[in-house]
Amino acid sequence: MQTGASASGAIQTVTGLTCGGSYLLAAWAKVGTAGEEVAVGGKSFGGTETYLRSSTTTYIQEPIFFTTGVSNTSASVYCYKNSGSAAGYCDDFTVVKLP
């Protein structure tokens, strides 16, 4: 997906997760202009929002780990660009349950 240059992104809810489960969210991200940042993250899973920022113009994989709360079976994953002059890009979001 492509964000706008500033205050732009997308969010999607992932359902069917296990309460108290540990997960890996993996996504590829890059920015259109070096030095700007795009964030990939997860929230609303019953724990503290967690994210990583990418500031490269070539795709790198962002691995994010989170654990759902005792009564949470969903999480919201997102790609967001806060500011700058060019778009951000995020692709191939995957959520994997860890053993």
Side-chain angles (χ1 to χ4, degrees):
M1 71 144 298
Q2 177 179 325
T3 71
S6 179
S8 175
I11 189 165
Q12 182 174 350
T13 301
V14 177
T15 59
L17 306 182
T18 302
C19 298
S22 296
Y23 290 88
L24 164 65
L25 163 62
W28 294 84
K30 71 175 184 175
V31 291
T33 299
E36 296 187 2
E37 293 182 332
V38 63
V40 174
K43 64 181 183 177
S44 303
F45 52 82
T48 304
E49 177 178 354
T50 183
Y51 60 90
L52 291 174
R53 295 182 184 125
S54 174
S55 59
T56 67
T57 56
T58 56
Y59 276 110
I60 60 168
Q61 192 171 40
E62 300 287 4
I64 297 155
F65 298 92
F66 67 93
T67 300
T68 54
V70 295
S71 61
N72 295 81
T73 58
S74 65
S76 296
V77 298
Y78 63 85
C79 172
Y80 185 77
K81 189 156 185 300
N82 189 45
S83 62
S85 60
Y89 303 87
C90 299
D91 287 292
D92 297 333
F93 278 74
T94 305
V95 176
V96 178
K97 188 172 191 306
L98 300 174

